[in-house]
Amino acid sequence: MKTLFQLLILALVIASCTKPTKEEGSTDSKVPNKPNIVVIYTDDLGYGDVGAYGAKDIPTPNMDKLANEGVRFTNGYASSATCTPSRYALLTGRYPWRRGAKILPGTAPLIIDTAQMTLPKMLAAQGYATGLVGKWHLGLGSGFVNWNERVSPGPNEVGFQSAYYMAATQDRVPTVYLKDGLVENLDPNDPIEVDYAKNYEGQPTGKDNPELLRMTWHHGHNSSIVNGIPRIGYMKGGESAKWVDEDMADNFLARAQQYVRDHKEEPFFLYYAMQQPHVPRTPHPRFVGATDLGPRGDVIVEADWCVGEFVKTLEEEGILENTIIIFSSDNGPVLNDGYNDEADTRIGNHDPKGGLRGGKYSLFEAGTRVPFWVYWKGTIQPKVSDALICQMDVFASIAKLVGSEDKTQDSEELLDVILGKSEEGRENLIIEATSRTALRTGDYIFIPAYEGPAVNTEVNIELGNSETAMLYNLKEDLGQQNNLAESNPELLAQLSAKYEELRGTENRKVEALELK
Ligand code: NG6
Ligand code: CA
């Protein structure tokens, strides 16, 4: 009897050991549920800047391959038309306007609550290694930042076990890299000081010392000079730690490749946040002249090369088929974003907006509708998907894939959509541009009335401000030329009510367009 009992226990033990590890998550047995997850995030890349989305004058073969062999979204959105809010939404699965997120100076405190659920935290809890390489721009520290000590809280405190990053943007000080909170290559005898309000005595500026510039400014960008490029904000010291702008792409790529090699034996999540084609556009000399469009075109070719090299590394390490790659951009395109870099004068026939209206900072489509695709060799079949999806939905969709029960306030689970098995995307999406919001529902977009200039003449972009509300059918009128507000008052009222319901009263104060 005893032996039988022991045998029974043994059988139970064996059964529990051989039980497939896949309990929850993807319901399809053919879809592995612990693939590596890579998010490649570009900065200011427009809907029409990639060959797969129609660009002809900028060769992007590496991006095109992934886009054309993956699920390529035509209605894929960043949450916002600027960087900080979009990154907040991607990493937290929460609408950025709930937090009042907007473009941050390099000295701003971290805007993600360290107690908040995030994409890397959710994945770490599922046994993933989590890493960041590239642009952060979600704030650091909780008040005054001393750049000569470990800067915290930052990426490490919101879920990234390893983080290599620039604090804000390439055009903002401090122009140094940080590794897990410490400024890389800092000489303790040459401490860094950073201030966005006033200059340090005797330090040259773009405004007062044009003779020191190799790239001139058009608007803003006239404070401290680093590598002959005038920046936003003032900085002193830290000479040995300053980055070389032309090497940034190679540096981030090398770190991303190293991350893959270091973590290939375990499931990993890598957020590879490239700096291109944000200003200042500083292609490595290898890419200068790669297009006829000047530096903006050349850095897109450089970014494309980085994508190709990165994918090659996954291949060489034998893990490409076990890696899901999500590619997108944090907001739409801008040509003149503050430097005289020929982006506007040499644009030729290229349309970075891909037929959409507006651009970065705009509530019109080109602000938030961006290149967005999901590539997973061997698992995802090529498809062009018209489903409505936002980067904010990556959280819930990936959570479902890996079997996590974690949830966030606004992320919608669209796993079958990102795997190309369904076109049932979101019903509604609130998009945001410099603290203003609008509602996308089905094929329609409702843009409430907003005060403010119709066009930002510095960047030459239509912002989506209008004295009366606007309504467009995006399926029939992609370029938003035919405002239906007057001809279809019923639908206008219906969408207006829906907008009020979803938008609620949080942070409703309409704030002045903030470009500083
Ligand atoms: C604006 C900058 C712009 C860019 C942007 C942030 C000026 C006049 N303009 O304030 O150049 O840096 O902020 O871009 O300073 S984002 O992609 O990070 O949101
Ligand atoms: Ca951006």
Side-chain angles (χ1 to χ4, degrees):
M1 201 55 202
K2 199 176 166 199
T3 341
L4 204 80
F5 181 71
Q6 280 170 338
L7 273 176
L8 194 70
I9 296 284
L10 191 71
L12 278 174
V13 168
I14 292 172
S16 72
C17 290
T18 52
K19 198 168 78 173
T21 46
K22 195 159 95 55
E23 284 170 25
E24 295 182 53
S26 158
T27 44
D28 186 336
S29 59
K30 285 188 297 259
V31 177
N33 77 338
K34 287 279 191 286
N36 306 310
I37 292 149
V38 173
V39 174
I40 302 180
Y41 211 44
T42 48
D43 194 358
D44 297 3
L45 189 70
Y47 192 71
D49 277 326
V50 179
Y53 284 80
K56 295 207 166 46
D57 300 330
I58 305 177
T60 55
N62 298 297
M63 293 181 189
D64 297 348
K65 182 175 158 58
L66 301 189
N68 293 331
E69 294 181 14
V71 176
R72 180 172 77 78
F73 293 108
T74 60
N75 284 275
Y77 286 80
S79 76
S80 305
T82 58
C83 166
T84 300
S86 290
R87 282 159 208 262
Y88 180 88
L90 169 71
L91 293 180
T92 68
R94 186 169 183 249
Y95 277 126
W97 41 264
R98 297 196 194 279
R99 177 71 179 86
K102 43 185 138 165
I103 300 172
L104 295 176
T107 46
L110 178 68
I111 61 161
I112 300 175
D113 190 324
T114 52
Q116 200 174 337
M117 180 46 67
T118 65
L119 183 58
K121 269 190 196 173
M122 179 273 286
L123 288 165
Q126 294 300 315
Y128 275 74
T130 57
L132 154 72
V133 172
K135 174 174 176 174
W136 180 237
H137 209 191
L138 286 160
L140 293 168
S142 44
F144 173 77
V145 173
N146 180 351
W147 300 92
N148 306 290
E149 293 172 356
R150 183 164 185 275
V151 180
S152 157
N156 297 124
E157 287 69 32
V158 297
F160 289 105
Q161 294 150 3
S162 112
Y164 184 85
Y165 51 101
M166 67 164 141
T169 59
Q170 203 188 329
D171 54 350
R172 281 175 175 74
V173 297
T175 50
V176 296
Y177 300 115
L178 288 98
K179 190 170 190 299
D180 297 326
L182 292 171
V183 172
E184 193 184 39
N185 296 329
L186 181 64
D187 174 358
N189 298 317
D190 181 26
I192 297 185
E193 290 176 79
V194 180
D195 195 324
Y196 272 68
K198 61 171 190 354
N199 193 17
Y200 298 95
E201 221 183 301
Q203 298 294 308
T205 64
K207 196 156 177 245
D208 297 333
N209 304 86
E211 74 285 359
L212 299 178
L213 302 181
R214 67 180 165 104
M215 189 188 284
T216 57
W217 54 279
H218 177 270
H219 57 275
H221 306 96
N222 57 17
S223 314
S224 283
I225 303 171
V226 182
N227 305 334
I229 302 172
R231 316 276 169 161
I232 306 172
Y234 303 99
M235 172 179 175
K236 191 183 164 200
E239 276 313 315
S240 59
K242 287 179 179 171
W243 66 50
V244 175
D245 293 86
E246 285 75 4
D247 291 343
M248 186 175 282
D250 285 346
N251 187 28
F252 284 152
L253 171 64
R255 305 280 170 163
Q257 290 171 313
Q258 195 53 48
Y259 187 84
V260 167
R261 290 186 199 109
D262 290 347
H263 296 278
K264 63 183 179 194
E265 306 294 351
E266 56 191 328
F268 65 80
F269 164 56
L270 174 64
Y271 172 42
Y272 177 15
M274 299 176 144
Q275 86 281 13
Q276 303 106 323
H278 195 282
V279 294
R281 295 155 183 144
T282 52
H284 187 275
R286 299 194 306 282
F287 296 97
V288 172
T291 65
D292 292 332
L293 277 62
R296 185 174 186 278
D298 296 351
V299 298
I300 294 175
V301 172
E302 179 186 67
D304 181 73
W305 176 82
C306 292
V307 169
E309 292 301 298
F310 179 77
V311 172
K312 224 182 264 172
T313 302
L314 294 171
E315 229 162 6
E316 281 162 10
E317 298 302 334
I319 55 173
L320 183 58
E321 300 203 9
N322 192 32
T323 303
I324 180 165
I325 302 176
I326 301 170
F327 180 101
S328 202
S329 171
D330 66 342
N331 53 252
V334 54
L335 296 179
N336 182 341
D337 206 13
Y339 293 99
N340 298 305
D341 65 1
E342 303 181 303
D344 43 3
T345 53
R346 291 178 64 180
I347 193 67
N349 292 324
H350 177 63
D351 177 14
K353 306 192 295 299
L356 306 178
R357 185 170 177 185
K360 182 175 179 177
Y361 312 113
S362 179
L363 264 186
F364 286 126
E365 287 299 285
T368 47
R369 201 195 290 214
V370 286
F372 188 167
W373 63 78
V374 182
Y375 173 85
W376 190 354
K377 190 176 180 192
T379 298
I380 285 183
Q381 296 306 313
K383 173 173 184 152
V384 177
S385 174
D386 296 331
L388 177 58
I389 185 168
C390 176
Q391 291 159 5
M392 201 164 55
D393 304 326
V394 166
F395 182 99
S397 309
I398 294 295
K400 167 93 172 169
L401 176 70
V402 303
S404 167
E405 307 250 300
D406 286 332
K407 301 237 174 321
T408 66
Q409 197 170 356
D410 301 307
S411 185
E412 287 191 17
E413 187 268 296
L414 299 175
L415 180 60
D416 282 347
V417 172
I418 70 168
L419 295 178
K421 295 184 199 158
S422 160
E423 290 235 2
E424 265 180 65
R426 278 181 166 263
E427 259 177 57
N428 301 295
L429 174 68
I430 302 273
I431 57 165
E432 185 261 346
T434 56
S435 305
R436 300 157 300 148
T437 44
L439 170 69
R440 167 87 196 249
T441 293
D443 292 335
Y444 290 90
I445 185 116
F446 164 77
I447 307 179
Y450 282 106
E451 287 170 9
V455 176
N456 176 327
T457 50
E458 284 178 330
V459 294
N460 193 21
I461 286 174
E462 287 187 290
L463 298 172
N465 292 325
S466 161
E467 278 171 17
T468 52
M470 294 182 274
L471 176 69
Y472 296 97
N473 180 335
L474 296 169
K475 196 163 191 182
E476 289 169 6
D477 176 25
L478 187 68
Q480 295 178 288
Q481 296 301 310
N482 188 13
N483 180 5
L484 305 172
E486 267 184 38
S487 62
N488 202 339
E490 274 156 40
L491 189 60
L492 185 76
Q494 209 179 311
L495 264 68
S496 171
K498 190 78 198 168
Y499 169 77
E500 290 300 327
E501 177 199 325
L502 295 175
R503 179 66 174 85
T505 49
E506 293 165 270
N507 288 301
R508 278 302 289 276
K509 201 171 130 271
V510 178
E511 293 167 44
L513 175 66
E514 193 180 344
L515 284 179
K516 279 274 137 46

